[in-house]
Amino acid sequence: MALYLLRRIMQSGFVLVAMSLLVFIGVYAVGDPIEILISPDADQEEKERAIRALGLDLPLWQQYLVFVSRALQGDLGRSFVFNEPAIQLILQRMPATLELAFGSMIIAIIIGLPLGLYAGLRPDTWGSKTIMAGSILGFSLPTFWVGLMLIMIFAVQLGWLPSTGRGDTAVLFGIPWSFLTIDGLSHILMPAFNLALFKISLVIRLTRAGVRETMLMDYVKFARAKGLSPTRVTFVHVFKNILIPVVTVLGLELGGTIAFSVVTETVFAWPGMGKLIIDSINVLDRPVIVAYLLMIVVMFIVINLIVDIVYTLLDPRVRLESKGT
Amino acid sequence: MSAPTLEVRGLSTHFFTRAGVVKAVENVSFTVGRGKVMGLVGESGSGKTVTGFSVIGLVDPPGRIVSGEILFKGRNLVGMPEQELRDLRGNRIAMIFQDPMMTLNPVLRVDTQMIETVQAHQKVDRETARQRARDTLGMVGIPSPDERLKSYPHQFSGGMRQRVAIAIALLHQPDLIVADEPTTALDVTIQGQILAEVQKLAATTGTSLIWITHDLSVVAGLADDIAVMYAGRIVEQGPVEQVLDAPFHPYTHGLIGSVPSRNKRGVPLRQIPGMTPSLLSLPPGCAFRARCERPIDACGDMPELTERAPGRFARCCNPHLEAVA
Ligand SMILES: Nc1ncnc2c1ncn2[C@@H]1O[C@H](COP(=O)(O)OP(=O)(O)OP(=O)(O)O)[C@@H](O)[C@H]1O
Ligand code: SF4
Ligand SMILES: [Mg+2]
């Protein structure tokens, strides 16, 4: 286990270096922030001073080295726009995104698992067919459109739920969270559901496929031949087996949800990282973009590691040491 | 005299598939007395497993028992409420499956899978159930059962897994065990050991056995009676020595000719030419006709299962009666 972890950390290091290069070059290829940051009527001298101050006069490879040496000391640069450390900007916004992502994950499980289970156990019923048709909608409807529809119905027409912002927050571990207050919960419900829609469909389909496949296995028939109740067969013998793919896929989805909740955050004016990155891209705030992308890479690495560990807990046939890569 | 352990009368189990009705078991009757072993023999697809599942009431759709009676100690299992059937399954009637690699749930520990079987039929605490599981594991020849209880199925070899499955079948000292080719997937030495042990257990506990196999040499040493199935029907039935010494039915004759140990040295093994007919398009008359060495005109009508010698039945118009005549 320790050996495995060490190897994983080393691999992660390589991935991080490669990604930082790609991100750095990529961001520099996108455009020149000076055009945006400095007013058009600034004179040449003023402009050059700004360029030097931001370190943009150095050749690209030197800029990269400066960036790396600072990054190793935990400094990912200062935002051109806010003149604050980029990492701090991102960390400030992170809790909002995290609670949104986890909220959507919980909604996906609470709604997706039972529906998928039902559709898998009773595949020929009218209800199952409706569920499956609904899951296709969940896959194919564009997130922003569903978000707008939700606002139209629940905020504008019915006036049940607020449509923007985080609402009241309460502090836990020195961080403000919306999910700790009723008002906050009412704010998070719609965006979390919006973000969950795709995942609900995913969980339904995974669960249904898993149930149908597992029900045909000899060990399920053997469990029935032992005289176990249908409840025990379903919720112990079948369920434990389908949890494996569901947890794996959802775990990997979590990274994507955190990284790309941009659309939902924009629609619901949710002050998370997604909204920050969109704003930063608009003004070509390079340090924030780079720091954000690297953060996301680190997050994916960590999530993958956690998924792998959970996977071995669920499936006794998999041992971490024996895995090659 | 009390009722025999199992009396099957005119059992027909059909599968209603899209391609048509598969008559997997057709008008099958047999009796298994207390402590007796009945060998159920036939080629692949002849309906042995479906007969076994019918007996424990686990025929799944699109299959259904369409007619007949299954009297277990005088009570008819056909049409019995599911709850009552479940009380018998794994308790008074147990089944051992064909493929030991597939019968145990891969994500549950062996102790879980054994304890749940004990507790499904008896109100005992976990510790008592665990002790029973351990004792039974020891009984079927698993070394250091206390440790092995904590293992997962993949940590056992095929032979050991089958022993675990046998132990599970024995947990409640059932009156009847349906053993579906339990040794076919194992190598010959282990096969021999398991056969010897099961035989001993059956003799000491008075358990009756239906031993399903396509290997006549297994039945020869183990069974009291034998029923030979072909295309869903019993074609020959009787005391095992008599049937093997002087088979009436040309199919049984062919089967015996293809067993190496029963052949005289130097005489080449005979194969039964041709293949099992499709159950979907059985021609009228004797199902074995296309492969039979001695068909006569009368074979165009389905022959009845008739008593050709005391206690010996064959479904054939032109049986080998020379030996007993
Ligand atoms: N679920 C099912 N749907 C349709 N046909 C089925 C189904 N299960 C079994 N059958 C048919 O029933 C027939 C008998 O099958 P069965 O499994 O009893 O054979 P078997 O004698 O046990 O063969 P083997 O030695 O290969 O185990 C086969 O022709 C099979 O095609
Ligand atoms: S009934 Fe006729 S065809 Fe069928 S096995 Fe007997 S002799 Fe052969
Ligand atoms: Mg079979």
Side-chain angles (χ1 to χ4, degrees), chain A residues 13-314:
Chain A
F14 285 122
V15 173
L16 210 55
V17 171
M19 271 307 293
S20 69
L21 256 174
L22 280 178
V23 166
F24 210 76
I25 295 170
V27 166
Y28 277 75
V30 172
D32 189 350
I34 292 299
E35 307 292 331
I36 298 171
L37 287 173
I38 293 175
S39 64
D41 33 75
D43 62 21
Q44 191 60 27
E45 197 178 327
E46 223 174 303
K47 207 165 166 183
E48 262 159 26
R49 194 155 5 100
I51 289 176
R52 248 194 313 281
L54 295 175
L56 297 175
D57 54 336
L58 301 173
L60 187 57
W61 65 272
Q62 279 188 10
Q63 288 188 32
Y64 179 69
L65 285 185
V66 169
F67 166 77
V68 169
S69 69
R70 285 198 190 140
L72 287 177
Q73 296 156 32
D75 174 11
L76 287 176
R78 295 177 87 82
S79 160
F80 296 160
V81 180
F82 298 93
N83 196 25
E84 263 184 68
I87 193 89
Q88 192 179 316
L89 268 178
I90 293 168
L91 287 179
Q92 273 166 9
R93 308 292 190 94
M94 190 146 40
T97 298
L98 283 184
E99 69 178 342
L100 187 61
F102 278 102
S104 77
M105 210 55 94
I106 291 167
I107 291 177
I109 291 171
I110 289 178
I111 298 181
L113 266 185
L115 291 184
L117 210 55
Y118 175 79
L121 291 173
R122 306 244 179 289
D124 295 322
T125 58
W126 200 78
S128 296
K129 286 176 182 153
T130 315
I131 292 170
M132 294 323 286
S135 81
I136 293 176
L137 281 186
F139 271 131
S140 44
L141 291 179
T143 308
F144 76 91
W145 183 82
V146 175
L148 292 176
M149 285 300 121
L150 287 175
I151 292 177
M152 277 284 290
I153 297 170
F154 293 104
V156 179
Q157 301 280 337
L158 299 171
W160 289 352
L161 293 169
S163 65
T164 57
R166 288 183 79 181
D168 292 344
T169 55
V171 174
L172 181 70
F173 306 126
I175 300 167
W177 300 98
S178 294
F179 74 91
L180 294 175
T181 68
I182 298 289
D183 183 58
L185 274 179
S186 75
H187 277 81
I188 202 173
L189 190 60
M190 252 201 305
F193 180 77
N194 185 212
L195 201 55
L197 207 58
F198 179 86
K199 282 186 282 291
I200 293 174
S201 304
L202 195 66
V203 174
I204 288 178
R205 299 213 146 233
L206 277 173
T207 309
R208 184 185 101 114
V211 169
R212 299 208 58 190
E213 194 185 315
T214 313
M215 287 304 284
L216 297 177
M217 302 303 277
D218 268 4
Y219 59 75
V220 171
K221 197 142 189 171
F222 189 65
R224 290 163 63 204
K226 294 194 296 189
L228 304 184
S229 68
T231 332
R232 171 118 194 143
V233 172
T234 307
F235 289 98
V236 177
H237 286 260
V238 175
F239 204 67
K240 266 208 104 173
N241 278 282
I242 60 166
L243 271 187
I244 297 169
V246 172
V247 166
T248 314
V249 173
L250 266 191
L252 298 177
E253 266 292 305
L254 178 64
T257 308
I258 295 173
F260 309 115
S261 58
V262 177
V263 176
T264 300
E265 288 188 7
T266 309
V267 171
F268 291 91
W270 188 261
M273 297 192 296
K275 189 127 181 3
L276 174 71
I277 187 69
I278 282 291
D279 295 343
S280 303
I281 289 172
N282 276 336
V283 296
L284 286 176
D285 194 349
R286 282 181 190 171
V288 177
I289 301 174
V290 171
Y292 174 80
L293 290 176
L294 289 183
M295 285 272 308
I296 295 293
V297 173
V298 172
M299 202 180 63
F300 265 96
I301 290 171
V302 172
I303 288 177
N304 280 348
L305 187 63
I306 294 174
V307 169
D308 274 359
I309 291 171
V310 172
Y311 192 84
T312 57
L313 294 181
L314 286 176

Side-chain angles (χ1 to χ4, degrees), chain B residues 8-118:
Chain B
V8 174
R9 289 194 199 138
L11 173 71
S12 297
T13 304
H14 296 176
F15 288 88
F16 298 86
T17 67
R18 241 174 248 156
V21 179
V22 179
K23 298 182 176 174
V25 174
E26 184 69 7
N27 195 12
V28 161
S29 306
F30 58 84
T31 303
V32 192
R34 198 181 123 80
K36 296 287 182 199
V37 180
M38 194 200 67
L40 191 57
V41 187
E43 284 174 323
S44 194
S46 54
K48 307 182 297 290
T49 298
V50 174
T51 305
F53 281 142
S54 303
V55 169
I56 59 165
L58 279 184
V59 179
D60 287 320
R64 184 155 56 82
I65 296 179
V66 290
S67 61
E69 290 180 330
I70 299 170
L71 301 174
F72 174 70
K73 301 214 279 187
R75 291 165 73 200
N76 191 359
L77 304 185
V78 179
M80 183 182 269
E82 177 62 23
Q83 175 66 49
E84 283 176 48
L85 263 178
R86 207 198 305 149
D87 287 343
L88 291 176
R89 257 185 234 137
N91 182 9
R92 305 321 321 145
I93 310 177
M95 185 156 175
I96 304 166
F97 285 21
Q98 205 159 347
D99 184 354
M101 303 312 263
M102 303 299 291
T103 33
L104 299 176
N105 194 323
V107 302
L108 299 176
R109 278 187 354 199
V110 167
D111 56 357
T112 315
Q113 303 193 44
M114 295 190 80
I115 290 169
E116 67 180 3
T117 316
V118 176

